[in-house]
Amino acid sequence: MKSISYLTILGSTGSIGTSTLDVVARHPERYRIMALTAQCQDNILFEQCIRFTPRYAVLLDDGAAMRLAQRIAVAGLDVEVLCGAAALERVASLSEVDTVMAAIVGAAGLRPTLAAARAGKKILLANKEVLVMAGRVFMDEVQKFGATLLPIDSEHNAIFQALPHNYSRHHTDSLAASGISKILLTASGGPFLNTTLSALQHVTPEQACAHPNWVMGRKISVDSATMINKGLEIIEAHWLFNAPADAIQVVVHPQSIVHSLVQYVDGSVLAQLGNPDMRIPIAYALAYPERIETGSEPLDLFKIATLDFIAPDFIRFPGLALAYQALRAGGTAPAVLNAANEVAVAAFLNKQISFLAIPRLIEDVLADLPVTTVNTLEDVLTADAAARLMANDLMKNMICLS
Ligand code: NAD
Ligand code: MG
């Protein structure tokens, strides 16, 4: 008889959150939900409470929490509704919780994910911005408190599967000492893979969010369209796998079937393949080291027939070079890149700036803010705040000029 694992899902109403619940629902003998959380989507959270009866439901927003509490009371559900940022940290670190799915989008996920690390949880990490902002601080806490870190991002999950057994559990292993020459990080290229630079100037948020292979939240969809998502993933891979920037190469693979590859010194290249369905990496991390059923369609290689691999275009997608630059600069630079990107993406989604202004804004913020060393979480948060301020200032000028 398997023991039951108790889960907190941070960001349960989002794309990763709902895919996680889909996998959980297929294995009621293995998983129980301790807490579900969202920013303000009380309707979806209510439906999830009916279906999964968690002990806690957390909303960041006061009004949404009040509405949810009323409906929970009327429905007679035994679910405690909490509200605010501190409650997110609380449910991420409850002693009854075994596993935390970190699926909040952006910097808002940093503190609750750190709380899970400090409580020594098994962390399923979807929220890549945590590692981009605070890679050193976060990895140190994971190690110090004996937390287990399993990547959800499909590429990093693939790399994890293709690395030597237990490689990333010893956070001091190095690629070179393990016979690895390179990590090949695949990228779909997003919806604008074949769009000309002049046409990119006029693309809309709707076009940017229409990803050819994946259905995702709006922020990561725009990140994929600018390919800044791949830039964030380069930095994510650096921290997860102790990989120097030079050992991470981006390979555009429009079919999103090969989810990434690891090249060994003997010439062997190991890859993980599968349909583009986030339930696969989620289930892998949930059940690790076992394998469980996900509801995903079996891969039909005859139907796919062709797999293409193309070099990335650093001119049309300058976000890639900016990410390498920030990773090499170290210290606060990746946190600055992340914060500037969050501000720029929100402005693009609000139709305040153009698509091509996103990498331009990041470049300007990176150029204007000096890189400082990161020793503590405060150092990260200070850099994040300064970058947001600077991005907003620069954007005002941009809007005036355009
Ligand atoms: P989403 O926008 O669909 O969902 C985000 C979730 O976070 C929602 O539940 C929302 O309520 C919650 N949230 C948003 N802002 C919050 C805040 N300020 N405080 C508390 N909660 C907040 O996003 P998603 O596509 O599920 O992505 C989640 C994370 O996973 C991102 O970091 C993304 O980069 C990463 N990721 C997603 C995919 C994917 O296929 N969707 C793949 C790889 C990695
Ligand atoms: Mg990815």
Side-chain angles (χ1 to χ4, degrees):
M1 178 73 189
K2 282 234 126 322
S3 67
I4 288 174
S5 181
Y6 287 87
L7 263 69
T8 282
I9 303 181
L10 299 170
S12 68
T13 58
S15 160
I16 293 290
T18 50
S19 293
T20 305
L21 286 171
D22 183 286
V23 176
V24 163
R26 290 166 193 276
H27 302 281
E29 74 295 354
R30 281 178 178 258
Y31 306 112
R32 295 272 191 287
I33 302 296
M34 182 63 70
L36 296 174
T37 86
Q39 182 178 28
C40 55
Q41 296 81 353
D42 51 296
N43 284 334
I44 305 175
L45 198 53
F46 179 64
E47 297 302 325
Q48 293 181 343
C49 286
I50 293 178
R51 180 121 194 252
F52 294 94
T53 52
R55 178 103 44 94
Y56 303 98
V58 184
L59 281 156
L60 191 70
D61 180 79
D62 288 4
M66 238 133 69
R67 287 192 298 274
L68 180 67
Q70 274 166 8
R71 291 180 75 183
I72 296 263
V74 171
L77 291 175
D78 188 15
V79 177
E80 189 174 337
V81 178
L82 305 173
C83 148
L88 294 174
E89 291 182 51
R90 181 173 159 213
V91 298
S93 51
L94 291 168
S95 60
E96 304 95 314
V97 167
D98 306 295
T99 301
V100 175
M101 165 55 84
I104 290 174
V105 58
L110 178 57
R111 283 185 188 275
T113 311
L114 262 177
R118 289 176 179 147
K121 302 302 183 197
K122 174 171 159 180
I123 301 172
L124 316 187
L125 188 71
N127 187 183
K128 66 192 83 182
E129 293 91 345
V130 166
L131 279 178
V132 176
M133 291 176 75
R136 170 83 293 140
V137 173
F138 182 69
M139 294 306 285
D140 284 352
E141 297 296 64
V142 164
Q143 202 168 2
K144 184 167 159 198
F145 293 95
T148 303
L149 191 55
L150 294 161
I152 293 299
D153 216 344
S154 55
E155 297 77 2
H156 305 73
N157 192 275
I159 295 161
F160 184 91
Q161 295 193 44
L163 282 170
H165 183 57
N166 267 345
Y167 173 88
S168 359
R169 301 205 116 195
H170 315 127
H171 300 286
T172 49
D173 283 352
S174 84
L175 294 181
S178 304
I180 296 156
S181 50
K182 228 188 240 178
I183 283 176
L184 300 165
L185 191 66
T186 54
S188 68
F192 306 136
L193 176 60
N194 299 311
T195 308
T196 61
L197 192 57
S198 56
L200 280 180
Q201 183 60 35
H202 307 291
V203 298
T204 64
E206 289 65 36
Q207 290 170 313
C209 288
H211 197 281
N213 306 338
W214 302 96
V215 180
M216 308 182 286
R218 282 166 75 76
K219 193 263 177 181
I220 184 178
S221 296
V222 176
D223 287 348
S224 297
T226 56
M227 287 194 75
I228 281 162
N229 181 52
K230 212 46 54 181
L232 302 180
E233 290 184 359
I234 292 166
I235 301 171
E236 182 184 13
H238 164 76
W239 289 113
L240 283 173
F241 308 121
N242 204 13
D246 293 341
I248 307 168
Q249 185 181 349
V250 174
V251 178
V252 176
H253 165 50
Q255 292 88 1
S256 297
I257 296 296
V258 177
H259 295 299
S260 278
L261 315 89
V262 175
Q263 184 176 305
Y264 287 81
V265 287
D266 62 1
S268 294
V269 178
L270 301 191
Q272 185 258 358
L273 282 72
N275 286 322
D277 182 338
M278 287 308 293
R279 292 178 300 181
I280 300 172
I282 290 169
Y284 178 80
L286 266 175
Y288 178 81
E290 294 175 43
R291 302 260 180 186
I292 56 172
E293 196 274 323
T294 60
S296 170
E297 285 290 307
L299 182 64
D300 183 345
L301 284 174
F302 297 126
K303 203 161 132 197
I304 296 156
T306 311
L307 299 176
D308 295 304
F309 300 97
I310 310 162
D313 181 342
F314 286 86
I315 308 291
R316 282 181 308 133
F317 301 104
L320 283 175
L322 290 172
Y324 275 115
Q325 178 196 320
L327 177 55
R328 291 195 171 103
T332 49
V336 167
L337 169 115
N338 179 68
N341 181 51
E342 287 192 23
V343 171
V345 171
F348 169 70
L349 286 171
N350 280 331
K351 304 196 170 163
Q352 290 168 294
I353 61 169
S354 72
F355 183 76
L356 290 178
I358 300 173
R360 230 171 29 234
L361 192 66
I362 299 171
E363 187 177 5
D364 290 351
V365 176
L366 276 172
D368 285 358
L369 285 178
V371 178
T372 54
T373 49
V374 169
N375 295 312
T376 64
L377 178 62
E378 283 314 308
D379 298 336
V380 173
L381 297 175
T382 306
D384 176 87
R388 282 170 203 270
L389 210 63
M390 172 77 73
N392 277 308
D393 270 0
L394 292 172
M395 220 161 51
K396 275 184 215 142
N397 295 337
M398 241 179 206
I399 293 164
C400 289
L401 290 175
S402 63

